[in-house]
Amino acid sequence: MAQDYDSPRNKDEDEESLQELGKGSQNSSEEIDDDENAIAEDYELPGADLSNEDASVTVIPMQGDEFICSQCFLVKHRSQLAYMDENGQPVCKECAA
């Protein structure tokens, strides 16, 4: 249905709609759980003390078909080798670009 925005407004309708909006906001605020402590417990801040935490990581040694890039110091597969620099050090394709 088209709305004629130029027609005069009825104040009674405006007041009723405002009251309905007020009731709706009151109902929605009751449904929201604003226990900030419960929300904050789920987040870990950067720089938190993790000295009591155990970190178990399996370290796999560098394979024969891998190299360490002399620019970014990442272990790459030999298919990522771009060239050997003047000192004979390998450089990966990403660093060569």
Side-chain angles (χ1 to χ4, degrees):
M1 180 171 159
Q3 176 75 27
D4 184 14
Y5 292 106
D6 293 329
S7 66
R9 295 184 180 182
N10 185 355
K11 290 189 175 187
D12 293 336
E13 292 177 3
D14 291 342
E15 289 178 12
E16 290 174 6
S17 63
L18 287 174
Q19 291 172 356
E20 290 176 9
L21 284 174
K23 290 178 185 177
S25 66
Q26 289 174 354
N27 292 340
S28 64
S29 65
E30 292 173 0
E31 296 173 3
I32 298 174
D33 180 28
D34 39 70
D35 185 7
E36 294 178 6
N37 293 332
I39 295 170
E41 288 175 0
D42 295 338
Y43 295 104
E44 286 191 25
L45 298 175
D49 182 21
L50 301 176
S51 60
N52 295 335
E53 299 291 327
D54 284 335
S56 58
V57 177
T58 304
V59 178
I60 301 172
M62 192 169 71
Q63 304 298 308
D65 59 348
E66 295 176 332
F67 69 95
I68 298 176
C69 176
S70 61
Q71 301 290 318
C72 64
F73 304 106
L74 295 176
V75 177
K76 303 277 187 163
H77 188 264
R78 69 173 167 217
S79 64
Q80 295 293 313
L81 179 65
Y83 62 88
M84 301 291 265
D85 68 3
E86 61 273 353
N87 296 329
Q89 299 295 318
V91 178
C92 70
K93 290 181 181 179
E94 292 178 2
C95 293

